[in-house]
Amino acid sequence: MTTKLFDLAGKVAIVTGGNGGIGLGMARGLAQAGAAVAIVGRNEAKSAAAVAELTQGGAKAIAVATDVTDKAAVAAMAERVLSELGRIDILVNNAGINIRKPPHALDIAEWNSVVQTNLTSAFLCSQAVYPAMKAAGGGKIINIGSMMSIFGASFTPAYAASKGGIVQFTRSCACAWAADNIQANAVLPGWIDTDLTKRARQEIDGLHDRVLARTPAARWGAIGDFAGIAVFLASPASDFVTGTAIPIDGGFSIMG
Ligand code: NDP
């Protein structure tokens, strides 16, 4: 029997921050490929809208209101997904925030909030789903990094630290859990048109045009650009791909 390379029928995916932006773009791709999807976020109205959209498209989807920085809440979220959807095959650690300030102006509460949301949450969620993936004989973890996993910028000390950290965390999980047939990979988005960057475009003079000038594809990314990479990294097509950090950036990171 031949393996259906991109088929996710019967699989269950958790997408943190799946109620909007890049997470929703990935959730749509996973649902289209046949996965049942748990949308995890704090904003219940946004999550309900995402679930309604996925359900109307024919997918099974649930919303699990969760603050991913809270260990007990994350454990309860994983329990609920298991009890309502029956298994956990795919985890997308996508929830993220940014506070744009130079290092000398960032206070410790702001630092902690960014690092806990972007990095510690990935640790908590991965640890929470590991037993279910191991018991099922395998799984797929997709962590969302950034161009700030590679480059520096004066206004993103905590964000860049968290996004650099997520690549190294991904590599650790890839090494530790390969024997359990769990693949862990990172995706590094370029500049994508979402709520997160709408504010950046307003706050940073000239950002919009600088991104266009530096991106060989000559456009900002759209959330639909993340459906394909989500399906690839969640499906049997990527079974020998682990520990990587794949830019989805229209060429931003290779532009000299
Ligand atoms: P959005 O602001 O559109 O989405 C962020 C998501 O994270 C929301 O769904 C939000 O849901 C969720 N979230 C934030 N904090 C928490 C929390 N404590 N608990 C649970 N969920 C939380 O941003 P993007 O789609 O742009 O960003 C998604 C990811 O992509 C982030 O990790 C970001 O750093 C990364 N990225 C984005 C880039 C871009 O250009 N847009 C570039 C590089 C990386 P809710 O508010 O309901 O909790």
Side-chain angles (χ1 to χ4, degrees):
M1 200 180 81
T2 50
T3 308
K4 287 190 176 170
L5 285 179
F6 300 103
D7 186 12
L8 299 181
K11 303 290 183 186
V12 172
I14 294 171
V15 183
T16 73
N19 60 19
I22 290 170
L24 181 57
M26 289 190 147
R28 284 174 179 159
L30 298 172
Q32 222 181 342
V37 180
I39 298 286
V40 171
R42 296 159 304 173
N43 185 322
E44 296 188 36
K46 267 177 76 180
S47 296
V51 165
E53 182 205 306
L54 297 177
T55 307
Q56 272 158 26
K60 187 161 188 183
I62 62 168
V64 188
T66 312
D67 178 344
V68 292
T69 65
D70 178 336
K71 186 176 192 290
V74 166
M77 177 275 288
E79 283 301 315
R80 194 166 144 219
V81 174
L82 274 177
S83 76
E84 285 197 29
L85 299 178
R87 49 191 295 129
I88 301 172
D89 305 284
I90 300 152
L91 168 67
V92 181
N93 285 310
N94 160 80
I97 57 168
N98 192 7
I99 298 175
R100 269 174 287 277
K101 286 183 180 180
H104 50 271
L106 195 75
D107 71 37
I108 183 69
E110 292 169 325
W111 169 276
N112 284 338
S113 154
V114 172
V115 171
Q116 281 163 11
T117 306
N118 298 1
L119 180 59
T120 310
S121 67
F123 163 64
L124 294 176
C125 291
S126 302
Q127 204 175 51
V129 304
Y130 172 69
M133 288 185 175
K134 183 179 161 74
K140 302 279 189 176
I141 296 176
I142 304 170
N143 295 324
I144 308 306
S146 161
M147 289 296 104
M148 291 301 144
S149 302
I150 308 170
F151 301 118
S154 58
F155 51 86
T156 61
Y159 187 81
S162 70
K163 294 300 188 178
I166 204 116
V167 170
Q168 290 301 96
F169 175 65
T170 302
R171 291 174 179 154
S172 291
C173 294
C175 292
W177 297 340
D180 301 309
N181 191 30
I182 296 169
Q183 289 81 46
N185 290 284
V187 166
L188 313 183
W191 285 93
I192 317 303
D193 184 14
T194 68
D195 287 350
L196 191 78
T197 50
K198 272 192 186 80
R199 227 184 49 235
R201 277 198 248 193
Q202 286 155 7
E203 286 172 7
I204 307 166
D205 229 19
L207 176 68
H208 179 79
D209 291 333
R210 277 207 308 281
V211 168
L212 287 184
R214 196 199 149 126
T215 305
R219 67 172 175 86
W220 280 62
I223 65 172
D225 291 319
F226 290 82
I229 189 68
V231 172
F232 171 65
L233 291 177
S235 69
S238 62
D239 279 354
F240 200 53
V241 180
T242 198
T244 65
I246 303 176
I248 304 294
D249 66 349
F252 185 93
S253 59
I254 51 88
M255 184 70 156

